[in-house]
């Protein structure tokens, strides 16, 4: 009886993941049969917002100075970096003695997630006002890090990576860039997947010589302690591999939410 229950549970997990992937593929991408058909690619929305850069979109409007930079990894991905060199109370030029700090967001978002609240509640603004030289990192493939030296985001090869490549290539490139710009060891603050990648990099002897400290918010090192049904099904059912088999290479949460609102219920 125990073996039967185990087999049934495994079968239910696999079926659930397959159904989810197929439903999303048909509902959100079925209208476009090109290999570059990403989730949400078949949806026509009214003029999506044009992002001219994170600085102009969400930092400068609050009165803070902001600078845009790019760091290129060994495998050719160009990640966007935004720098808030001083807080609102700063006067004169940027002090070279300000300690630099890099903040790295979690999965399914980008650097703008650090500015969801008011300036008094947003970490990057409070750090700048507290005397830090703040650098906002954006994971490859997000809206502020779409560049590559030879690939285009419309190609499936562009999306052939996981957090392993972020740990091995992107983080060292970002840390090296900030270190070279400031001439100082830096502090690192990560959230969720933004903690997994530095832990992986540090475990292989990377980054340590250029870091003063590492702060891990909601750290994720192992998946065997998860208790949510969705998380367990996604990890145990190899959701990423199943999505690739269904021809889905890029998940855009914004387009998914917009699509769900357009889909009929009943």
């Amino acid at each position: 009886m125990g073996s039967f229950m185990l087999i049934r549970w495994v079968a239910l997990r696999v079926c659930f993941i397959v159904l989810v992937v197929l439903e999303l593929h048909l509902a959100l991408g079925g209208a476009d049969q090109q290999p570059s058909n990403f989730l949400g690619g078949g949806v026509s929305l009214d003029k999506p917002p044009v992002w001219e850069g994170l600085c102009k979109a969400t930092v400068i409007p609050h009165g803070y100075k902001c600078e845009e930079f790019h760091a290129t990894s060994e495998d050719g991905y160009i990640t966007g970096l935004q720098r808030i060199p001083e807080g609102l109370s700063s006067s004169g030029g940027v002090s070279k003695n300000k300690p630099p700090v890099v903040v790295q967001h979690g999965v399914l978002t980008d650097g703008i997630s650090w500015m969801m609240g008011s300036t008094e509640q947003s970490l990057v603004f409070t750090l700048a006002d507290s005397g830090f030289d703040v650098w906002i990192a954006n994971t490859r493939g997000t809206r502020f890090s779409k560049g590559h030296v030879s690939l285009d985001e419309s190609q499936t090869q562009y999306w052939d990576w996981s957090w392993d490549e972020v740990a091995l290539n992107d983080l060292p490139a970002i840390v090296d860039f900030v270190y070279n710009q400031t001439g100082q060891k830096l502090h690192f603050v990560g959230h969720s997947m933004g903690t997994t990648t530095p832990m992986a990099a540090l475990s292989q002897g990377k980054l340590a010589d250029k870091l003063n400290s590492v702060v891990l918010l909601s750290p994720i090192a192992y998946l065997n302690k998860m208790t949510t049904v969705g998380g367990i099904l996604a990890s145990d059912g190899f959701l990423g591999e199943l999505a690739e088999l269904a021809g889905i290479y890029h998940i855009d949460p914004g387009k998914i939410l917009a699509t769900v609102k357009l889909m009929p219920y009943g």
Side-chain angles (χ1 to χ4, degrees), residues 1-264:
M1 182 66 177
S3 299
F4 174 75
M5 293 296 292
L6 177 62
I7 294 172
R8 188 176 71 170
W9 175 238
V10 171
L12 286 173
R13 286 187 178 188
V14 173
C15 290
F16 175 82
I17 296 298
V18 171
L19 286 173
V20 168
V21 172
L22 290 177
E23 285 292 334
L24 286 172
H25 177 67
L26 292 173
L28 304 180
D32 183 358
Q33 297 301 321
Q34 298 301 317
S36 59
N37 175 33
F38 305 142
L39 272 180
V43 181
S44 176
L45 302 175
D46 292 335
K47 293 184 179 180
V50 177
W51 293 96
E52 297 178 290
L54 188 151
C55 282
K56 189 172 181 179
T58 58
V59 179
I60 295 176
H62 290 293
Y64 290 80
K65 293 182 180 179
C66 191
E67 305 167 0
E68 297 274 357
F69 295 91
H70 293 89
T72 303
S73 63
E74 285 190 6
D75 54 351
Y77 286 84
I78 303 172
T79 57
L81 282 167
Q82 291 80 35
R83 182 187 195 183
I84 306 177
E86 59 184 80
L88 293 181
S89 59
S90 301
S91 60
V94 179
S95 172
K96 293 183 179 180
N97 296 322
K98 285 189 173 183
V101 55
V102 172
V103 295
Q104 178 68 55
H105 61 83
V107 70
L108 296 180
T109 183
D110 53 41
I112 208 170
S113 63
W114 297 106
M115 291 159 276
M116 299 294 285
S118 66
T119 54
E120 292 79 14
Q121 296 174 317
S122 299
L123 180 63
V124 292
F125 294 130
T126 56
L127 284 172
D129 289 336
S130 298
F132 287 89
D133 181 6
V134 182
W135 294 76
I136 304 168
N138 298 270
T139 300
R140 63 169 69 182
T142 57
R143 63 183 139 184
F144 305 115
S145 296
K146 288 290 184 71
H148 192 279
V149 296
S150 61
L151 297 175
D152 184 83
E153 61 175 298
S154 64
Q155 299 173 276
T156 57
Q157 297 95 319
Y158 176 91
W159 301 100
D160 187 18
W161 53 268
S162 70
W163 59 265
D164 288 305
E165 284 72 29
V166 176
L168 293 175
N169 299 307
D170 291 8
L171 280 186
I174 290 169
V175 170
D176 286 346
F177 185 89
V178 175
Y179 179 82
N180 292 331
Q181 286 286 321
T182 63
Q184 299 184 65
K185 287 188 176 183
L186 49 130
H187 302 281
F188 186 96
V189 180
H191 171 247
S192 190
M193 194 185 83
T195 70
T196 304
T197 49
M199 283 191 284
L202 287 167
S203 71
Q204 300 185 43
K206 299 177 181 291
L207 310 181
D209 60 328
K210 296 182 176 68
L211 295 179
N212 264 326
S213 69
V214 177
V215 178
L216 307 177
L217 306 176
S218 300
I220 300 177
Y222 303 98
L223 299 179
N224 61 342
K225 300 298 182 181
M226 291 193 304
T227 58
T228 60
V229 175
I232 293 172
L233 291 174
S235 61
D236 291 358
F238 301 100
L239 181 58
E241 288 80 356
L242 289 171
E244 184 175 350
L245 290 175
I248 299 169
Y249 301 93
H250 170 213
I251 297 177
D252 187 331
K255 288 184 179 180
I256 292 176
L257 292 175
T259 304
V260 170
K261 293 178 181 179
L262 294 175
M263 292 175 65

